[in-house]
Amino acid sequence: MDNYASFFDKIRESLQREEFIKISLGDYNGTELYLKNVYIKPVIIKREKKLSFVFRYKTQDITQNFEIETAIMEIQGLLKVEGFRVATLFTETVNLLCQFTKKGVWSLRQENPTAKKPVVLTHDKQKERKLDSADKVYLQELKLTDAAGNVYKNAQDKWKQINHYIEILSSILQRLPPRETLNVVDMGAGKGYLTFALYDYLVHTLQKRTSLIGVEYRKDLVELCNQIAAKTNFKDLLFIRSAIEDYQPQNDLDILIALHACDTATDDAIAKGIRHDADLIVVAPCCHKQIRREMEKSKVKNEVDFLVKHGIFMERQAEMVTDGLRALIMEYFGYQTKVFQFVSDAHTPKNVLIVGEKKIVETRKQQEILEKIKSTKAYFGIGHHHLETLLEME
């Protein structure tokens, strides 16, 4: 048996014996721009053990979770001559280093163990909530809790989503530049579940003076949310009726949120955030029709064209390409982006959250990004991305 195959046997063995701690992949020799490392650790999700992959790029992290056998196949796809050439398996008893050498062969070397196994796997441990449900008038008015602050059984998923949303943003919000008043806009606020929670967290937990506007097109929801804001005494929380593309912020923004804005409405929101110099842009895209139509129209021939003949695969690929280009465009304008898995709800199963923090961008890097956008569009047969058009990049 060669060293490469033996390495994967050791991975399986360590998982079976409950000795597995983590894997790190390095020395990347592939073609994916800015990819540097991959870090893999076990997690428990809905009582099932999986492996969580963190793909570390120069300016963003992307996390994906896989079932065990799928995860091992994923590692095999990553650890190859034209991919990652070094992998280290950390177990309770040994560190095992698998490396592609200058002689053109895979070597295997054992070292003393250096990693400690976590007491509890991340996704299964009980952690302190950023928000509690006690004495929250808005949660009662939104029919999520009773008067005693107990979350209703049929509202548990929504409560989990709200807390996951705040959990993701908590550390980023504390890194925002100091402002006398934070100007926040939530585009497509809907019934306001996450809007109220964000305002509550900013004002009462972080003690930041905040002016938050929820933009929503449906008149009945705007009226309902304003009534709840008044009952809750959230004085600087206002909901207004407008389509996302029509809304014009009166001042520069500190935070722009757009969760589940359909198709190019997400692009409209991102563009407004960029133009109004937002320090933080957070979007959870929904529907990806514009790029899908471009891909279906061109029917370009490439290495993955066999996938797009199937409608479900075309839909998924269009989603990834659309959001990947959105992240690149945001990076072009100086935003450091990260992509998270976001807890979806029954009404909107999309679960990708793109977060962009405003940084400084170099001209050289901007040119690299433009070339990457151009080559990606050519590869998938895309004539234009709506966000490019809005920001006059074409």
Side-chain angles (χ1 to χ4, degrees), residues 44-170:
I44 298 292
I45 300 175
K46 296 183 178 179
R47 300 182 181 180
E48 181 183 355
K49 180 177 283 188
K50 297 186 178 184
L51 292 182
S52 179
F53 288 58
V54 176
F55 294 83
R56 177 66 48 81
Y57 291 81
K58 186 176 179 181
T59 58
Q60 64 178 331
D61 288 349
I62 297 177
T63 301
Q64 290 181 279
N65 302 315
F66 299 98
E67 295 179 354
I68 298 299
E69 281 305 315
T70 304
I72 292 174
M73 292 173 62
E74 183 74 15
I75 297 170
Q76 289 173 332
L78 293 167
L79 186 62
K80 55 186 180 180
V81 176
E82 64 276 18
F84 289 95
R85 296 187 174 194
V86 175
T88 305
L89 167 64
F90 298 86
T91 76
E92 292 181 277
T93 59
V94 69
N95 290 355
L96 197 60
L97 181 69
C98 183
Q99 184 173 16
F100 188 76
T101 68
K102 294 180 180 180
K103 296 180 180 180
V105 296
W106 291 96
S107 67
L108 204 58
R109 186 174 76 249
Q110 292 190 8
E111 299 175 348
N112 292 329
T114 58
K116 292 185 178 181
K117 194 172 185 179
V119 177
V120 182
L121 298 184
T122 305
H123 284 265
D124 234 20
K125 69 179 180 181
Q126 296 295 320
K127 56 187 177 182
E128 183 181 353
R129 298 289 190 186
K130 296 297 181 182
L131 289 175
D132 61 58
S133 58
D135 301 319
K136 304 288 187 184
V137 175
Y138 67 89
L139 294 179
Q140 297 172 35
E141 293 293 328
L142 290 170
K143 310 302 182 186
L144 296 181
T145 69
D146 60 22
N150 299 308
V151 180
Y152 292 123
K153 186 176 181 179
N154 64 357
Q156 291 291 335
D157 287 346
K158 177 58 72 175
W159 179 236
K160 181 179 179 182
Q161 184 193 50
I162 289 171
N163 276 280
H164 189 215
Y165 168 68
I166 298 298
E167 178 71 30
I168 289 174
L169 296 184
S170 58

Side-chain angles (χ1 to χ4, degrees), residues 86 182 244 271 273:
V86 175
L182 281 177
I244 292 174

Side-chain angles (χ1 to χ4, degrees), residues 261-300:
C262 188
D263 197 21
T264 56
T266 293
D267 299 313
D268 291 320
I270 293 172
K272 290 181 190 297
I274 292 173
R275 284 174 174 161
H276 288 82
D277 204 29
D279 294 309
L280 179 64
I281 297 175
V282 181
V283 296
C286 180
C287 307
H288 299 74
K289 297 176 184 178
Q290 186 253 318
I291 292 299
R292 178 170 179 169
R293 286 193 293 266
E294 293 274 315
M295 293 168 64
E296 289 175 334
K297 180 175 64 176
S298 66
K299 292 184 172 60
V300 70

Side-chain angles (χ1 to χ4, degrees), residues 8-26:
F8 284 93
D9 283 345
K10 292 295 184 182
I11 294 175
R12 290 186 175 90
E13 181 181 315
S14 66
L15 287 164
Q16 290 170 357
R17 294 184 177 181
E18 302 288 337
E19 296 176 348
F20 180 96
I21 298 177
K22 61 182 179 180
I23 292 175
S24 65
L25 303 180

Side-chain angles (χ1 to χ4, degrees), residues 325-344:
L325 286 171
R326 281 170 174 156
L328 280 173
I329 292 169
M330 289 169 69
E331 288 170 20
Y332 174 82
F333 285 96
Y335 287 84
Q336 178 178 310
T337 63
K338 291 187 178 182
V339 181
F340 299 89
Q341 283 188 314
F342 179 43
V343 175
S344 60

